[in-house]
Amino acid sequence: MSKKELLGILQNLGNVTGSLALDIWQNPQIAYEETYASEAQKEVLSDAGFRITDKIGGMQTAFYAEYGQGGPVIGILGEFDALPGLSQSSKPYKDPVTVNGPGHACGHHLLGTAGVEAVLALKELIGQGKVNGTIRYYGCPAEELLSGKTFMAKEGVFDDMDCCLTWHPGTSNVVQNYSTQAMISIKFRFHGVPAHAAGAPHAGRSALDAVEIMNIGANYLREHLVDGTRIHYSITNGGQAPNIVPNEAEVWYYLRGANRDQVEDMLGRMHDIAKGAALITGTTTSHELLANCYHMLTNDTLDTLNYRNMEDYPMESFTSDEVAYAAILRKSMDPKLIEASRLQLQLDTNDILPTKNFYDTSMKGTTMPGSTDVADVSWITPLASIQTTCGPIGTQVHAWQATAVFGTSIGLKGMHYAARIMALTAYDLLAEPALVEQAKAEFTESSAGSPFKAGLDDSVLAPGTERKEQLI
Ligand SMILES: [Zn+2]
């Protein structure tokens, strides 16, 4: 068996997985509601002979599909949730398919389907007896709420994996050897007393006042946090009408920091601020914890394997039509952001869809501003992630331009490249168990003293799940 044969198998799968990705892109569903994508992927995998375990943790759309027997167990993480309000056709100008509808502006239709493509190819090798072990694809819901994998982790479905691979659509081919931020998502609610705002304001206790005072407290807190921490918020309920003293109000916060200790410290302060705001306004307060994910642990052994495969089997260049499309799309983007990305990657001005590979070893130990629940899995098993070029330099995810380009042949090219690299690296791990042992030894060292502990206790349930049992 040579890696060239594996590339041939992937090539043959390209039409099926390309159609699957575009089918999911055309049927976007937001977090915890991704039934279309979950069912479509399960169908392809079960038709190919994979064993499916679904509804993990009671979540309708969470599943894994496995093939083969025994070790090593190599997993690939997939996602498929879309974002609200980012509906867009593949045209290079703003053109929503459904006004205010959801859209795949983070490219998770590509993210999940690349994993499906990789495991379908690896299945052929295991089926032909060329390598031994088990491959597993995880269909993970709700990455955008940063909690799907946390609930899956609580069910133990990642525990017996030996190594795990994943990726994310981007604007260049990068080994992601840097960390992501730990994050807590929490809603604070205030409960007051309604009253006629003009006739009897003295009888009212405003929950909205409490939300506003809480935000003032949070703003003062910002100065006393360590560098790099962030607090974002939106007011998700501010009352019904100005002439009614609002008796219910809600504010939703994301707290981010370099590690879990930092965000949990911030959370303690935020609870105190909520109590203070309630005391000041004569209201009461309650809260709902929605997500609490780790920062990312990286793994040099797996990163090096990924990079070697990227260099040995590079991305094909983009066609002149694809470059022309990208050039039109970029006209709607901020030139400063485009220039900043170009300088960071040291690209020529005309290299708008870069096929070069980047692995900057000096990035290890640094933290990028975003967060992901993939990080939870990185505390359970050795994990590596790459990014590939699925759109032109300057494209921001969570914007309509990303929905557009991720629905074209440019997005698909990046997806097939990601599938190729994950399949090649998984093949290396299946063929050379010593590499698995090396990745695991590194993981044991980097996670030493801090075994995985889910950030959500059993009182927190994923949306749509039912409490399994009630104590009598
Ligand atoms: Zn994403």
Side-chain angles (χ1 to χ4, degrees):
M1 172 70 202
S2 75
K3 285 186 171 177
K4 287 237 163 64
E5 284 176 70
L6 179 56
L7 297 193
I9 299 170
L10 286 161
Q11 185 90 30
N12 292 337
L13 288 165
N15 285 340
V16 171
T17 52
S19 303
L20 175 63
L22 290 183
D23 191 22
I24 296 169
W25 179 82
Q26 279 162 356
N27 293 279
Q29 291 168 309
I30 59 167
Y32 291 114
E33 297 175 11
E34 321 90 331
T35 48
Y36 191 91
S38 173
E39 293 303 320
Q41 292 186 350
K42 275 189 281 189
E43 193 181 327
V44 168
L45 290 162
S46 109
D47 287 353
F50 280 72
R51 304 180 293 274
I52 310 281
T53 303
D54 65 358
K55 298 188 176 54
I56 296 167
M59 290 178 284
Q60 188 69 19
T61 55
F63 73 96
Y64 69 82
E66 70 177 353
Y67 190 89
Q69 279 179 344
V73 179
I74 308 299
I76 293 183
L77 300 181
E79 296 161 10
F80 31 54
D81 55 331
L83 285 152
L86 285 164
S87 170
Q88 166 67 26
S89 76
S90 59
K91 299 208 171 77
Y93 49 83
K94 195 162 191 213
D95 178 39
V97 179
T98 311
V99 175
N100 294 325
H104 273 291
C106 209
H108 292 182
H109 62 298
L110 304 172
L111 201 167
T113 309
V116 172
E117 184 176 316
V119 297
L120 286 173
L122 292 161
K123 177 226 144 183
E124 297 292 319
L125 304 191
I126 292 175
Q128 292 167 20
K130 304 250 168 85
V131 282
N132 294 316
T134 303
I135 38 144
R136 209 179 269 167
Y137 169 78
Y138 290 90
C140 308
E143 192 281 332
E144 296 296 351
L145 295 179
L146 296 114
S147 52
K149 294 180 198 69
T150 309
F151 291 115
M152 290 171 80
K154 280 163 60 96
E155 294 290 304
V157 296
F158 303 123
D159 292 354
D160 65 339
M161 235 195 307
D162 290 297
C163 285
C164 184
L165 303 170
T166 191
W167 76 292
H168 200 285
T171 59
S172 50
N173 301 319
V174 180
V175 173
Q176 293 186 288
N177 62 328
Y178 38 81
S179 189
T180 52
Q181 288 189 300
M183 199 199 89
I184 285 174
S185 166
I186 186 165
K187 289 178 173 174
F188 285 94
R189 300 192 182 105
F190 292 91
H191 318 282
V193 180
H196 192 297
H202 52 279
R205 297 290 179 268
S206 171
L208 178 59
D209 287 357
V211 161
E212 292 192 78
I213 289 168
M214 171 145 202
N215 278 331
I216 290 168
N219 284 335
Y220 275 101
L221 176 64
R222 281 191 172 92
E223 191 192 344
H224 305 285
L225 297 172
V226 294
D227 284 350
T229 49
R230 292 255 159 84
I231 303 175
H232 333 293
Y233 73 94
S234 70
I235 296 175
T236 35
N237 180 8
Q240 302 290 319
N243 62 350
I244 307 166
V245 172
N247 64 317
E248 289 293 328
E250 180 184 88
V251 55
W252 186 5
Y253 291 98
Y254 279 10
L255 315 176
R256 297 191 206 250
N259 57 54
R260 175 169 280 179
D261 286 347
Q262 280 184 9
V263 289
E264 289 187 345
D265 279 354
M266 284 158 78
L267 182 63
R269 301 290 303 272
M270 293 295 279
H271 279 301
D272 286 343
I273 291 169
K275 283 182 215 152
L279 188 61
I280 288 169
T281 52
T283 59
T284 59
T285 183
S286 59
H287 61 269
E288 184 183 4
L289 184 63
L290 300 166
N292 183 1
C293 68
Y294 275 92
H295 67 284
M296 187 86 78
L297 278 186
T298 57
N299 191 285
D300 291 341
T301 305
L302 298 180
D303 286 343
T304 305
L305 281 180
N306 271 335
Y307 185 63
R308 197 176 72 198
N309 286 318
M310 290 164 90
E311 287 291 274
D312 288 351
Y313 301 94
M315 186 181 217
E316 296 79 8
S317 46
F318 288 90
T319 65
S320 54
D321 282 353
E322 287 167 340
V323 174
Y325 171 97
I328 299 170
L329 187 69
R330 273 165 44 121
K331 288 184 180 153
S332 62
M333 297 176 196
D334 183 345
K336 286 195 195 114
L337 291 176
I338 296 174
E339 185 59 7
S341 302
R342 189 186 74 75
L343 288 173
Q344 192 191 2
L345 296 169
Q346 300 176 328
L347 296 169
D348 292 339
T349 18
N350 57 358
D351 193 4
I352 63 176
L353 286 166
T355 54
K356 202 173 140 189
N357 300 311
F358 297 90
Y359 179 27
D360 179 354
T361 50
S362 71
M363 293 289 284
K364 179 151 175 102
T366 61
T367 303
M368 63 162 263
S371 312
T372 172
D373 60 7
V374 172
D376 274 15
V377 186
S378 80
W379 283 82
I380 299 171
T381 190
L383 179 141
S385 179
I386 59 168
Q387 237 181 69
T388 69
T389 303
C390 297
I393 289 288
T395 308
Q396 305 295 313
V397 291
H398 298 208
W400 67 264
Q401 291 93 339
T403 313
V405 71
F406 292 164
T408 69
S409 62
I410 300 172
L412 291 184
K413 205 168 258 183
M415 176 187 94
H416 293 311
Y417 187 50
R420 178 194 307 169
I421 302 308
M422 292 191 294
L424 288 165
T425 299
Y427 169 76
D428 286 334
L429 295 166
L430 290 166
E432 278 185 66
L435 291 170
V436 174
E437 291 315 312
Q438 189 183 324
K440 287 170 91 165
E442 191 187 331
F443 168 80
T444 303
E445 200 179 323
S446 57
S447 62
S450 307
F452 174 78
K453 185 171 173 292
L456 301 174
D457 68 26
D458 290 345
S459 67
V460 184
L461 297 178
T465 56
E466 281 176 22
R467 211 168 277 280
K468 278 190 205 145
E469 57 191 51
Q470 294 284 351
L471 291 176
I472 300 168

Coordinates of all heavy atoms in Angstrom, one line a residue, residues 79 106 108 111 143-144 168 398, ligand 1:
E79 N -18.2 18.6 12.4 CA -19.2 19.5 12.9 C -20.1 19.8 11.7 O -19.8 19.6 10.6 CB -18.6 20.8 13.4 CG -17.7 20.6 14.6 CD -16.7 21.8 14.8 OE1 -16.8 22.8 14.2 OE2 -15.8 21.6 15.6
C106 N -19.4 29.6 8.9 CA -18.1 29.1 9.5 C -17.7 27.8 8.8 O -16.7 27.2 9.2 CB -18.3 28.8 11.0 SG -16.8 29.0 12.0
H108 N -19.0 24.8 8.5 CA -19.0 23.5 9.1 C -19.6 22.4 8.2 O -19.4 21.2 8.5 CB -19.8 23.6 10.5 CG -19.1 24.4 11.5 ND1 -19.5 24.7 12.8 CD2 -17.9 25.1 11.4 CE1 -18.7 25.4 13.4 NE2 -17.7 25.7 12.6
L111 N -16.4 21.2 7.1 CA -15.6 20.6 8.3 C -16.0 19.2 8.5 O -15.2 18.3 8.6 CB -15.9 21.5 9.5 CG -14.9 21.4 10.6 CD1 -15.1 22.5 11.6 CD2 -14.8 20.1 11.3
E143 N -21.1 23.3 17.7 CA -19.8 23.9 18.0 C -20.0 25.4 18.2 O -19.3 26.0 19.0 CB -18.8 23.7 16.8 CG -17.4 24.0 17.2 CD -17.0 25.5 17.1 OE1 -17.7 26.2 16.4 OE2 -16.1 25.9 17.9
E144 N -20.9 26.0 17.5 CA -21.0 27.5 17.6 C -21.5 27.9 19.0 O -21.3 29.0 19.4 CB -22.0 28.0 16.6 CG -21.5 27.9 15.1 CD -20.2 28.6 14.8 OE1 -19.8 29.4 15.7 OE2 -19.7 28.4 13.7
H168 N -10.2 23.1 10.3 CA -11.2 24.1 10.2 C -11.0 24.9 8.9 O -9.9 25.2 8.5 CB -11.2 25.1 11.3 CG -12.5 25.8 11.5 ND1 -12.9 26.9 10.6 CD2 -13.5 25.7 12.3 CE1 -14.1 27.3 11.0 NE2 -14.5 26.6 12.0
H398 N -18.1 33.9 10.0 CA -19.2 34.5 10.7 C -19.6 35.8 9.9 O -20.1 36.8 10.5 CB -19.0 34.8 12.2 CG -18.8 33.5 13.0 ND1 -19.1 33.4 14.3 CD2 -18.3 32.3 12.6 CE1 -18.8 32.2 14.7 NE2 -18.3 31.5 13.7
Ligands
ZN1 ZN -16.2 27.1 13.1

